[in-house]
Amino acid sequence: MLSSNSGTVELNYATLTLDNNGLKDLPNRVASGSLLLRGGTLNYVSNLQTAAVGSLGAMTLVEGLSNFNITVPMSLGVNSVDLTLGTLRALAGSGAMLNFNAPALGQAGNAARVFLNGGAVPALVNGILPWGVVGGTDFASFTAYSSLNGVNTGGLGALNQAGFAGYDAWATSVADLVGAATANAKVTAFSGSQTLVSGGTIFNSLNLVSTTTGTLAFAADNDVLNLVSGGLLRSGLAAGSIGYGTNNGSLTAGGTSSAPTSLYVWNNAAGTTLTINSRIVNNPVTGGSVQLVIGGTSANSVVLTSGSNNYTGGTVVNGVTLQLGSSGFLPGNSLILNRGTLSQIAGGSLGISKVVTLNGASVLTLSGSNTLAALVLNSNGGGAPSAAVGTLSLSGGSLYAMSSNIAQTSALASGVIDFGTTGGTVYVSPVMVDRKSTRL
């Protein structure tokens, strides 16, 4: 067992495998404590030819894009696993994301089922977890766990699976979708140029399955696509664009809520680029702030081209590359890279008051001259951050370097840092091991 009582297991850009298909089947290898995921991968392997059960305690997504992979070895007879989590949540405002991979998740029979202790339900937004997907292709959903006459079903699963909530709008083209604030919409053949209904559209979430290169166009530049949950998912095999040209339409999140909302942009179309030409804006209905969260398959990238983005909740990049185009603008006061990459093309602007934080093996590549409030290099697992800064002025006068990773060293790979005429401070924290400082 890795923990007991109120112990905590933290996965910082690392992989933990709990394998019960060996000499010993231990259902509670992680006991009733907490699992904190920071871009980590949790693998659970159940026992062969067994109706296995297990418990993993409370799972909290703290940072980055994590993966929860469940393997059920298949053979003759019964091969299943029922896992109990104490709770499942994403830390508010963290921009943390989770990808579930499991055979027939939530289905009866030889399958994997994940449910919450005491019949609890995670915080769904109109039937989905916008920060969670199953197999990279559908938003995660949840239905009541049931055990009747020895047949178990439910818990976590993909939207539209048998026994789970379905998509409210389903079509081969966005032009055929009917908008509604509670509607989870899916386009099964996103290709060519497809135009949203004129006058603006609202969905709870939107899932685009790319078959060939496709563009989501707006009928007019002042039209708005408002995603109540903030969930925007793209999968498939081809590159895509939002907006047929720079500033064609606007993306926002939150519906009629004035509360801060994250816009989760998932680019899971393997090895492709999603170009967002549309403006990304605070909620024009209520004024609620929007945080841009970008994640997906690690080889993928997202390009921002609009210089009129005005969202104020900051930007989080989880495991992918964000490219700031030559005309693009990255607003807000914070940019957080969680094993992610930011590449600035000459002309693209980061503003002048941003705190930029690199967690894990993140890469920052700036072009020309920029001004930031502060730069934070946090080597907290899975490799160290690296920054090529061009000519960088730090208006707040602070450069921070911290580490909980003994084997890796953060790097200012190239460039010049100007602290200005008043000088600045470089903070180098002690290496933290098991949350305790260590002198090296």
Side-chain angles (χ1 to χ4, degrees):
M1 294 175 64
L2 293 175
S3 63
S4 60
N5 299 321
S6 59
T8 298
V9 175
E10 301 186 23
L11 277 182
N12 293 359
Y13 306 101
T15 298
L16 172 64
T17 298
L18 305 175
D19 191 346
N20 282 330
N21 191 31
L23 297 177
K24 189 74 171 177
D25 183 1
L26 294 175
N28 300 314
R29 291 180 184 270
V30 177
S32 57
S34 299
L35 274 169
L36 304 182
L37 302 185
R38 295 182 179 89
T41 296
L42 177 63
N43 298 321
Y44 190 98
V45 183
S46 68
N47 201 10
L48 182 69
Q49 294 182 317
T50 304
V53 296
S55 176
L56 292 174
M59 182 179 290
T60 301
L61 310 179
V62 178
E63 176 182 298
L65 170 57
S66 297
N67 288 277
F68 184 13
N69 306 319
I70 304 174
T71 300
V72 181
M74 291 298 173
S75 183
L76 298 175
V78 176
N79 300 275
S80 66
V81 63
D82 289 73
L83 291 174
T84 305
L85 298 179
T87 56
L88 174 64
R89 69 187 183 101
L91 199 63
S94 67
M97 307 165 94
L98 182 63
N99 182 39
F100 297 93
N101 289 294
L105 184 62
Q107 300 298 288
N110 290 344
R113 291 168 289 273
V114 179
F115 60 101
L116 303 187
N117 191 32
V121 177
L124 301 172
V125 184
N126 294 316
I128 71 163
L129 299 172
W131 44 260
V133 297
V134 177
T137 58
D138 286 288
F139 284 108
S141 186
F142 192 91
T143 190
Y145 180 78
S146 171
S147 182
L148 181 64
N149 298 325
V151 178
N152 300 336
T153 58
L156 286 163
L159 192 66
N160 216 54
Q161 264 188 183
F164 288 78
Y167 285 98
D168 305 283
W170 181 293
T172 57
S173 171
V174 296
D176 298 324
L177 296 175
V178 178
T182 59
N184 294 303
K186 186 172 186 176
V187 177
T188 58
F190 181 59
S191 62
S193 182
Q194 300 185 4
T195 304
L196 289 161
V197 173
S198 179
T201 308
I202 187 169
F203 297 115
N204 185 60
S205 67
L206 179 60
N207 184 348
L208 304 173
V209 182
S210 297
T211 50
T212 60
T213 301
T215 298
L216 179 67
F218 292 79
D221 288 350
N222 61 352
D223 283 353
V224 177
L225 172 59
N226 192 330
L227 299 174
V228 175
S229 73
L232 176 59
L233 169 60
R234 198 180 75 91
S235 61
L237 301 172
S241 300
I242 308 294
Y244 64 75
T246 302
N247 294 330
N248 174 230
S250 296
L251 283 174
T252 194
T256 58
S257 172
S258 59
T261 306
S262 296
L263 175 63
Y264 296 96
V265 178
W266 294 83
N267 185 20
N268 285 337
T272 66
T273 297
L274 172 64
T275 300
I276 301 179
N277 294 310
S278 303
R279 296 173 293 269
I280 301 174
V281 300
N282 282 339
N283 192 332
V285 178
T286 65
S289 67
V290 168
Q291 175 193 56
L292 176 62
V293 181
I294 295 172
T297 307
S298 60
N300 292 354
S301 60
V302 173
V303 179
L304 299 183
T305 69
S306 175
S308 300
N309 298 319
N310 72 5
Y311 62 94
T312 57
T315 305
V316 178
V317 182
N318 294 326
V320 296
T321 295
L322 173 60
Q323 186 178 98
L324 184 60
S326 60
S327 60
F329 173 56
L330 208 60
N333 292 329
S334 70
L335 167 64
I336 301 174
L337 306 180
N338 297 317
R339 197 159 57 185
T341 296
L342 176 78
S343 178
Q344 178 194 27
I345 305 302
S349 173
L350 281 78
I352 60 173
S353 58
K354 195 174 272 77
V355 175
V356 176
T357 302
L358 281 65
N359 292 316
S362 294
V363 178
L364 176 68
T365 303
L366 301 181
S367 177
S369 298
N370 289 276
T371 299
L372 300 175
L375 178 62
V376 181
L377 305 176
N378 182 24
S379 180
N380 63 341
S386 175
V389 298
T391 300
L392 177 62
S393 297
L394 294 176
S395 59
S398 296
L399 171 64
Y400 299 85
M402 56 196 71
S403 177
S404 53
N405 187 349
I406 295 175
Q408 303 286 340
T409 303
S410 301
L412 285 172
S414 64
V416 176
I417 294 181
D418 182 2
F419 289 100
T421 57
T422 59
T425 305
V426 177
Y427 297 91
V428 181
S429 300
V431 176
M432 302 294 290
V433 178
D434 194 22
R435 299 184 181 181
K436 299 175 183 177
S437 27
T438 302
R439 293 181 180 274
L440 298 177

